[in-house]
Amino acid sequence: MTANTNLSFVHDRQPAHSEIAIEAESQELVNVLQKIVKNAGALLEVKSCSIALLDSTGMVLVTMAALPKNGHKPRRTRFQLSEGVAGWVAEHREALVINNVSLDPRFKQLGRVPVGSIMCVPLMNNSSFIGTLTASSQEINAFAERKVQMLAIFADQAILAIVNARNAELALQQANQLEMLIHLSRGITTRLEPDILYRTLLSDARQLVPCELALIYLYHGGTQELSPVAEWAVAGSTPSTGEQMAEVKTSGLLREKISLYNREEATAWAATHRHPILRSPGQEGQPEKHPLTTASQVAELAVPFISKETLYGVLVLKRAKPFSSEELRLMRNLSCMAAAALENVELFHKVRTDQEQLRAILTSSLDGIALLTDNACFIEVNPAFARIFGVEPAQIVGMECMELFGCYSEDGPQCCQHSCMIRRALQLEQPQPYSEIGLRVQGVARSLGVSITPVLTASKPVCLLVARDMTAIRDATRMKANFLSMITHELRSPLNAINGYLDLALNGVAGELTEQQREFILRARAGSEHLYALVEDLLIVSRADTGQLRLSREIMSLQDVVTNAVEEMELSAIDSGVTISVDIARDFPRLYADSVRLQQVLRNLLSNALHHTPVGGLITIAAHVEDVAQQQTQEPFDEIEQVAKLQVSDTGSGIALEHQQHIFERFYQIAGSTSGRSSGQGLGLAIVKMIVELHGGSVTVESTPGQGSTFTCTLPCLLS
């Protein structure tokens, strides 16, 4: 650490024996030492013999056992370690014998009893000095070499007794501390409210380590600050004498926040370095103002709350008396439990907040939301879901899905006719396609949009069911479709009349036409045909929306359908400079399909190809038969052995990948045309998809920009 830092760093270690307070020595140890002194005095034939131990400061020796004088019990006298015979022995760590104390300046008279000679041996526990064993006599030259050896033997006995007693005391103390920590941990870990946890932590800290002020700071990563959230302090201005305790404060603290960059604060240092720290009283650089006393009289102990490498805050204790490393160790153990408790509180409140947010979303959602188990029983529903069925949410919980949707009745929904959608979603571990089902709720026909998504939780899998009442939307759509169907149907009659009279004019029924008149009528006839085709497309779309689009299936020849479609588009192809080629075998099997609708499919595909094929391009119509086994997927051809594939290919501009998934949508158009022809209304490919799917087939596209496109219609029709 730098010189200007006023913090004392203390490693977490076991305390040395010399650091244990003399006052804590057990009476049992004192009795053992008294016996050693008594035996030593008898064998050495002296009336003055004593054992002194080093106190917790390391600067004072305290007499723990001595021979009684004049029948009085020995007193625990204290004397400085910096002088006298004991000071010399402590400094040099070796025995000292003075045969004539009047001639040796190292001897200092401490009592009234005259002393002629003295010997003192150090009490050494390994390399640590813990005290002295001293014997003195009023006579000069009273101690021979043999007596010095005897005193050393008694010193070894004293050391062994002291070490054993202190180890036993330390083990008992640590066992009591561990038991206390375990007891405290139970109280800490069960607190999930922050204020209660702060009070518990401060109370536990004071129970383990006496102090005059205790503070808890919480860490805020965004501002890099520590803010005080709770404190306990001794009432009164003088902490060392104040007896009345103030209540723990957890709000309205007047203390300022501490920045992590404040090097003068032990709290900031502990948080920054993530390590406990001690500050002894009287160190330079103390804060000028302290809430308890002057800076020179305050000792600080700061331990950070760290769990899984995350800093949650700092616990700070302050008092006039210095803290020991043993107290630091206790606070460090407490801080580990406190950090785990703070983490639990944070996680608990996060979970509770998330639950409250989720509950608010579920309650306010206009869509019906429900959770179901793997056996298709409801475990939770929101109010919107219950409103769809006109019941209370509690009535639905525990009910089977099939019972609520009426799957057992004859007129029940057909959404699960193959297998239960919920079980299918859980088995495949993927959402089921969005579907709309019709059902009767309290005798009223309703249309319901349903999506089912599996949710794999840690305990057991569940399904998320989202339902939306589409009745009003479907009614509006049906009304719009009926209106559109009526309008388009009414437009066909005047268009037929217009086309009829134009044809009569072209045939000369009304007289010969000039070239300019013929050109005008031809243009009017082309516009009328375009309008008629648009009306037909709109009529098909409206019929499809209302469910009125029907097929007139018959045994038909695909070659005839292709021939008729090519003849319809031949003039347009000639005008565009595009060649149409047909590649269908003469013995191609006959199909059971709607020839008029298939001709419309070909007409729309050819029109689309002409729109995107430049002058000199080629359009190819091909068809072949494939076994269902060659398909990548058998759906929806489970009961069909062969399918017919009708393909329309062109050498046009192609379709970019981002457009390929949208071109079958209604009114979707791709900007630009190679041929320069009108792009239409964007209904041609949508109608192709409708008609092919109405036949039970599918339509796909393969296209490369600049190289052309190939549309493939797969028809699972009965081949003959």
Side-chain angles (χ1 to χ4, degrees):
M1 299 183 61
T2 57
N4 64 348
T5 305
N6 61 341
L7 305 177
S8 298
F9 180 76
V10 178
H11 291 282
D12 186 21
R13 56 180 174 83
Q14 292 292 339
H17 290 306
S18 61
E19 295 177 357
I20 299 179
I22 294 297
E23 290 78 1
E25 300 291 0
S26 65
Q27 186 60 40
E28 183 179 354
L29 173 60
V30 173
N31 294 337
V32 173
L33 296 180
Q34 193 66 35
K35 289 180 181 180
I36 293 174
V37 168
K38 182 178 180 181
N39 293 335
L43 291 177
L44 296 175
E45 299 177 348
V46 296
K47 295 182 180 180
S48 178
C49 184
S50 63
I51 294 177
L53 299 182
L54 197 65
D55 75 347
S56 59
T57 66
M59 301 299 295
V60 177
L61 283 170
V62 181
T63 301
M64 300 301 298
L67 292 177
K69 297 177 181 180
N70 300 325
H72 298 290
K73 291 183 179 181
R75 309 174 88 184
R76 288 193 177 184
T77 58
R78 296 172 178 268
F79 50 94
Q80 296 294 323
L81 190 63
S82 58
E83 57 183 356
V85 174
W88 189 94
V89 171
E91 180 181 359
H92 293 82
R93 311 290 174 91
E94 62 182 50
L96 176 62
V97 180
I98 302 177
N99 291 316
N100 188 349
V101 298
S102 62
L103 302 178
D104 197 318
R106 292 174 293 185
F107 175 76
K108 302 293 182 182
Q109 184 69 36
L110 299 177
R112 298 179 180 179
V113 179
V115 177
S117 56
I118 189 172
M119 61 177 175
C120 180
V121 294
L123 302 180
M124 302 292 296
N125 178 26
N126 296 326
S127 59
S128 299
F129 174 78
I130 62 174
T132 59
L133 174 58
T134 306
S136 62
S137 175
Q138 298 180 8
E139 300 177 2
I140 298 175
N141 297 323
F143 301 117
E145 182 66 25
R146 185 178 64 85
K147 289 189 176 182
V148 176
Q149 294 176 355
M150 291 176 61
L151 189 65
I153 293 174
F154 283 112
D156 291 340
Q157 294 178 359
I159 292 171
L160 183 60
I162 293 169
V163 171
N164 289 340
R166 286 181 171 175
N167 285 339
E169 184 70 21
L170 181 62
L172 179 61
Q173 180 183 359
Q174 291 180 347
N176 292 336
Q177 291 172 353
L178 180 60
E179 184 178 357
M180 182 181 296
L181 286 171
I182 293 174
H183 174 72
L184 295 179
S185 69
R186 293 170 183 166
I188 291 174
T189 53
T190 56
R191 303 295 191 268
L192 294 176
E193 293 299 328
D195 289 351
I196 298 177
L197 176 60
Y198 300 152
R199 293 189 180 95
T200 304
L201 287 176
L202 292 180
S203 175
D204 293 348
R206 287 192 51 261
Q207 188 175 352
L208 290 173
V209 177
C211 62
E212 294 148 359
L213 175 67
L215 292 163
I216 292 178
Y217 289 85
L218 288 189
Y219 170 64
H220 302 284
T223 59
Q224 293 291 294
E225 289 180 330
L226 295 164
S227 59
V229 293
E231 73 170 61
W232 176 94
V234 172
S237 59
T238 307
S240 59
T241 59
E243 298 294 339
Q244 187 178 358
M245 300 178 184
E247 294 183 357
V248 174
K249 298 180 181 179
T250 57
S251 61
L253 300 182
L254 299 179
R255 302 184 185 278
E256 296 181 355
K257 297 179 180 179
I258 299 176
S259 171
L260 255 64
Y261 304 105
N262 187 346
R263 297 184 178 181
E264 298 298 319
E265 289 286 348
T267 308
W269 194 98
T272 303
H273 295 80
R274 302 195 173 191
H275 201 286
I277 192 169
L278 293 180
R279 174 187 286 176
S280 300
Q283 288 185 306
E284 295 181 359
Q286 294 279 0
E288 295 182 359
K289 295 182 179 180
H290 191 275
L292 292 179
T293 183
T294 60
S296 60
Q297 297 177 352
V298 174
E300 290 187 64
L301 186 157
V303 288
F305 298 134
I306 299 175
S307 178
K308 299 176 183 177
E309 301 182 357
T310 300
L311 175 67
Y312 289 93
V314 179
L315 171 65
V316 181
L317 305 182
K318 297 184 181 184
R319 70 186 184 192
K321 181 181 176 181
F323 294 97
S324 67
S325 60
E326 173 66 14
E327 292 174 324
L328 176 65
R329 185 184 67 84
L330 289 174
M331 286 298 98
R332 186 168 189 175
N333 290 336
L334 180 66
S335 71
C336 293
M337 295 185 294
L342 289 171
E343 181 184 15
N344 290 340
V345 169
E346 184 177 282
L347 293 175
F348 171 75
H349 282 275
K350 184 179 183 303
V351 170
R352 187 165 66 179
T353 301
D354 292 344
Q355 288 178 342
E356 291 174 352
Q357 291 177 349
L358 180 60
R359 183 68 57 190
I361 292 172
L362 291 176
T363 303
S364 59
S365 175
L366 297 178
D367 289 337
I369 302 175
L371 286 177
L372 301 96
T373 60
D374 54 354
N375 57 359
C377 289
F378 291 97
I379 56 177
E380 187 169 357
V381 298
N382 71 336
F385 189 90
R387 283 196 298 269
I388 292 176
F389 295 90
V391 295
E392 293 296 324
Q395 296 179 256
I396 300 178
V397 174
M399 186 184 297
E400 286 189 5
C401 174
M402 291 182 289
E403 180 183 354
L404 182 67
F405 281 83
C407 298
Y408 298 119
S409 60
E410 295 181 358
D411 57 347
Q414 301 298 313
C415 57
C416 295
Q417 56 184 348
H418 297 294
S419 62
C420 178
M421 294 178 65
I422 295 172
R423 293 189 176 91
R424 189 159 66 241
L426 291 174
Q427 290 173 357
L428 300 177
E429 295 185 0
Q430 61 184 14
Q432 292 299 292
Y434 174 83
S435 60
E436 292 188 13
I437 60 176
L439 68 162
R440 300 190 68 83
V441 178
Q442 297 179 347
V444 179
R446 308 290 288 272
S447 180
L448 203 65
V450 175
S451 63
I452 297 177
T453 304
V455 180
L456 303 179
T457 61
S459 56
K460 59 180 181 180
V462 296
C463 259
L464 174 67
L465 188 151
V466 180
R468 174 176 292 183
D469 191 348
M470 306 294 291
T471 306
I473 298 176
R474 288 292 157 250
D475 289 344
T477 302
R478 191 176 297 107
M479 291 176 62
K480 182 183 70 174
N482 290 335
F483 176 76
L484 183 62
S485 177
M486 180 190 68
I487 292 297
T488 52
H489 187 272
E490 291 298 324
L491 286 175
R492 293 177 68 184
S493 297
L495 282 176
N496 286 330
I498 291 172
N499 288 337
Y501 282 109
L502 289 175
D503 290 339
L504 290 175
L506 288 173
N507 292 331
V509 174
E512 292 293 327
L513 300 175
T514 65
E515 289 298 323
Q516 188 177 24
Q517 289 174 335
R518 180 173 293 276
E519 181 181 356
F520 287 168
I521 293 177
L522 285 174
R523 289 182 180 275
R525 184 69 172 84
S528 178
E529 284 290 340
H530 180 71
L531 181 59
Y532 187 84
L534 177 60
V535 170
E536 283 293 318
D537 289 345
L538 291 174
L539 186 59
I540 290 176
V541 170
S542 64
R543 287 177 177 175
D545 289 341
T546 56
Q548 298 176 2
L549 184 60
R550 299 288 187 268
L551 296 179
S552 298
R553 296 177 186 257
E554 59 182 354
I555 302 298
M556 41 84 60
S557 170
L558 183 61
Q559 296 93 324
D560 293 342
V561 172
V562 172
T563 300
N564 293 336
V566 171
E567 288 179 355
E568 274 190 74
M569 305 302 298
E570 190 171 10
L571 291 177
S572 297
I574 293 173
D575 292 340
S576 301
V578 177
T579 302
I580 299 178
S581 172
V582 178
D583 182 16
I584 300 178
R586 292 184 178 180
D587 58 347
F588 192 87
R590 295 170 68 82
L591 306 178
Y592 182 67
D594 189 329
S595 59
V596 175
R597 295 304 178 195
L598 286 186
Q599 184 172 329
Q600 188 174 9
V601 166
L602 278 171
R603 183 171 60 247
N604 289 354
L605 290 176
L606 288 173
S607 176
N608 182 74
L610 287 172
H611 172 62
H612 292 283
T613 304
V615 176
L618 175 64
I619 298 175
T620 303
I621 303 174
H624 63 277
V625 176
E626 257 186 27
D627 293 335
V628 171
Q630 299 178 15
Q631 303 291 316
Q632 293 182 353
T633 174
Q634 293 188 5
E635 290 188 8
F637 313 129
D638 294 333
E639 301 177 359
I640 304 297
E641 295 181 357
Q642 289 183 319
V643 293
K645 284 203 168 184
L646 177 63
Q647 293 180 320
V648 177
S649 305
D650 62 65
T651 58
S653 58
I655 304 171
L657 183 62
E658 62 268 19
H659 296 299
Q660 292 181 19
Q661 55 184 333
H662 299 292
I663 58 176
F664 294 104
E665 298 174 2
R666 297 180 186 181
F667 307 109
Y668 187 85
Q669 293 177 306
I670 302 174
S673 169
T674 305
S675 66
R677 296 183 63 204
S678 173
S679 60
Q681 303 302 316
L683 288 174
L685 293 179
I687 292 174
V688 168
K689 185 173 184 290
M690 287 181 194
I691 295 175
V692 171
E693 290 182 349
L694 199 60
H695 278 85
S698 62
V699 58
T700 59
V701 61
E702 295 179 3
S703 182
T704 303
Q707 299 182 15
S709 306
T710 298
F711 288 84
T712 302
C713 299
T714 303
L715 300 170
C717 305
L718 178 64
L719 304 176
S720 60

Coordinates of all heavy atoms in Angstrom, one line a residue, residues 199 202-203 206 210-216 230-235 242-249 253 255 292 316 318:
R199 N -31.5 -5.5 9.8 CA -31.5 -5.5 11.2 C -30.9 -6.8 11.8 O -30.1 -6.7 12.8 CB -33.0 -5.4 11.7 CG -33.6 -4.0 11.4 CD -35.0 -3.9 12.1 NE -35.6 -2.7 11.8 CZ -36.5 -2.4 10.9 NH1 -36.9 -3.4 10.1 NH2 -37.1 -1.3 10.7
L202 N -27.0 -6.6 11.4 CA -26.3 -5.7 12.4 C -26.4 -6.3 13.8 O -25.4 -6.2 14.6 CB -27.0 -4.4 12.4 CG -26.8 -3.5 11.1 CD1 -27.5 -2.2 11.2 CD2 -25.3 -3.3 10.8
S203 N -27.5 -6.9 14.2 CA -27.6 -7.5 15.5 C -26.7 -8.7 15.6 O -26.0 -8.9 16.6 CB -29.1 -8.0 15.7 OG -29.2 -8.7 16.9
R206 N -23.0 -7.4 16.0 CA -22.7 -6.9 17.3 C -22.6 -8.1 18.3 O -21.9 -8.0 19.3 CB -23.8 -6.0 17.8 CG -23.7 -4.6 17.1 CD -24.6 -3.6 17.8 NE -24.4 -3.6 19.2 CZ -25.1 -4.2 20.2 NH1 -26.2 -4.9 19.8 NH2 -24.9 -4.1 21.4
P210 N -18.2 -6.9 19.6 CA -18.7 -5.7 20.3 C -18.2 -4.5 19.5 O -17.1 -4.4 19.1 CB -18.1 -5.8 21.7 CG -17.8 -7.2 21.9 CD -17.4 -7.8 20.6
C211 N -19.1 -3.5 19.3 CA -18.7 -2.3 18.6 C -19.6 -1.2 19.1 O -20.6 -1.4 19.8 CB -18.8 -2.5 17.1 SG -20.4 -2.9 16.5
E212 N -19.3 0.0 18.7 CA -20.0 1.2 19.0 C -20.8 1.8 17.8 O -21.8 2.6 18.0 CB -19.1 2.3 19.6 CG -18.5 1.8 20.9 CD -17.1 2.4 21.1 OE1 -16.6 3.1 20.2 OE2 -16.4 2.1 22.1
L213 N -20.5 1.4 16.7 CA -21.2 1.8 15.5 C -21.1 0.7 14.4 O -20.0 0.1 14.2 CB -20.6 3.1 14.9 CG -21.3 3.5 13.5 CD1 -22.7 3.9 13.7 CD2 -20.5 4.7 12.9
A214 N -22.2 0.3 13.8 CA -22.3 -0.7 12.8 C -23.1 -0.1 11.6 O -24.2 0.4 11.8 CB -22.9 -2.0 13.3
L215 N -22.6 -0.3 10.4 CA -23.2 0.2 9.2 C -23.2 -0.8 8.1 O -22.3 -1.6 8.0 CB -22.4 1.5 8.7 CG -22.5 2.7 9.5 CD1 -21.4 3.7 9.1 CD2 -23.8 3.4 9.4
I216 N -24.3 -0.8 7.3 CA -24.4 -1.6 6.1 C -24.5 -0.7 4.9 O -25.4 0.2 4.9 CB -25.6 -2.6 6.2 CG1 -25.4 -3.6 7.3 CG2 -25.8 -3.3 4.8 CD1 -26.5 -4.6 7.4
A230 N -28.5 0.8 6.4 CA -28.9 0.5 7.8 C -27.7 0.8 8.7 O -26.6 0.7 8.3 CB -29.3 -1.0 8.0
E231 N -28.0 1.2 10.0 CA -27.0 1.5 11.0 C -27.5 1.2 12.4 O -28.7 1.3 12.7 CB -26.5 3.0 10.9 CG -27.5 4.0 11.4 CD -26.8 5.4 11.5 OE1 -26.4 5.9 10.5 OE2 -26.8 5.9 12.6
W232 N -26.5 0.9 13.2 CA -26.8 0.8 14.7 C -25.7 1.6 15.4 O -24.5 1.5 15.0 CB -26.7 -0.7 15.1 CG -26.9 -0.8 16.6 CD1 -28.1 -1.0 17.3 CD2 -25.9 -0.7 17.6 NE1 -27.8 -1.1 18.6 CE2 -26.5 -0.9 18.9 CE3 -24.5 -0.5 17.5 CZ2 -25.8 -0.9 20.0 CZ3 -23.8 -0.5 18.7 CH2 -24.4 -0.7 20.0
A233 N -26.0 2.4 16.4 CA -25.0 3.2 17.1 C -25.4 3.2 18.6 O -26.6 3.2 19.0 CB -25.0 4.6 16.5
V234 N -24.3 3.4 19.4 CA -24.5 3.6 20.8 C -25.1 5.0 21.0 O -24.6 6.0 20.4 CB -23.2 3.4 21.6 CG1 -23.3 3.9 23.0 CG2 -22.7 2.0 21.5
A235 N -26.1 5.2 21.9 CA -26.7 6.5 22.1 C -25.7 7.3 23.0 O -25.0 6.8 23.8 CB -28.0 6.3 22.9
G242 N -21.2 5.2 26.7 CA -22.6 5.1 26.4 C -23.1 3.7 26.7 O -22.6 2.7 26.2
E243 N -24.2 3.6 27.4 CA -24.8 2.3 27.7 C -26.1 2.0 27.0 O -26.4 0.9 26.6 CB -25.1 2.2 29.2 CG -23.8 2.3 30.1 CD -22.8 1.1 29.9 OE1 -23.3 0.1 29.4 OE2 -21.7 1.3 30.2
Q244 N -26.8 3.1 26.7 CA -28.1 2.9 26.0 C -27.9 2.7 24.5 O -27.1 3.4 23.9 CB -29.0 4.2 26.2 CG -30.4 4.0 25.7 CD -31.2 5.2 26.0 OE1 -30.8 6.2 26.6 NE2 -32.5 5.2 25.5
M245 N -28.6 1.7 24.0 CA -28.4 1.4 22.6 C -29.5 2.0 21.7 O -30.7 2.0 22.1 CB -28.5 -0.2 22.4 CG -27.4 -0.9 23.2 SD -27.6 -2.7 23.0 CE -26.3 -3.3 24.1
A246 N -29.1 2.5 20.6 CA -30.1 3.1 19.7 C -30.7 2.0 18.8 O -30.0 1.0 18.6 CB -29.4 4.2 18.8
E247 N -31.9 2.2 18.3 CA -32.5 1.2 17.4 C -31.8 1.2 16.1 O -31.2 2.2 15.7 CB -34.0 1.5 17.3 CG -34.8 1.3 18.5 CD -36.3 1.5 18.3 OE1 -36.6 1.9 17.1 OE2 -37.1 1.4 19.2
V248 N -31.9 0.1 15.4 CA -31.3 0.0 14.0 C -32.2 0.9 13.1 O -33.4 0.8 13.1 CB -31.4 -1.4 13.5 CG1 -30.9 -1.5 12.1 CG2 -30.4 -2.3 14.4
K249 N -31.5 1.7 12.3 CA -32.2 2.6 11.4 C -31.9 2.0 10.0 O -30.8 1.7 9.6 CB -31.6 4.0 11.4 CG -31.8 4.7 12.8 CD -31.2 6.1 12.7 CE -31.4 6.8 14.1 NZ -30.8 8.1 14.1
L253 N -31.4 7.7 6.5 CA -30.0 7.9 7.0 C -29.4 9.2 6.4 O -29.6 9.5 5.2 CB -29.1 6.7 6.5 CG -29.6 5.3 7.0 CD1 -28.6 4.3 6.6 CD2 -29.7 5.3 8.5
R255 N -26.2 9.8 6.4 CA -24.9 9.6 6.0 C -24.8 9.7 4.4 O -25.7 9.3 3.7 CB -24.3 8.2 6.4 CG -24.4 8.1 7.9 CD -23.8 6.8 8.4 NE -23.9 6.7 9.9 CZ -23.1 7.3 10.7 NH1 -22.1 8.0 10.3 NH2 -23.3 7.1 12.0
L292 N -18.9 9.4 15.9 CA -18.8 9.0 17.3 C -17.8 9.8 18.1 O -18.1 10.2 19.2 CB -18.3 7.5 17.3 CG -19.4 6.5 16.8 CD1 -18.8 5.1 16.9 CD2 -20.6 6.6 17.6
V316 N -19.5 -2.4 8.0 CA -18.5 -1.6 8.7 C -18.8 -1.5 10.2 O -19.9 -1.2 10.6 CB -18.4 -0.1 8.1 CG1 -17.4 0.7 8.8 CG2 -18.2 -0.2 6.6
K318 N -17.2 0.1 13.9 CA -16.3 1.1 14.4 C -16.4 1.1 16.0 O -17.5 0.9 16.5 CB -16.7 2.5 13.9 CG -16.5 2.6 12.4 CD -16.8 4.0 11.9 CE -16.7 4.1 10.4 NZ -16.8 5.4 9.8

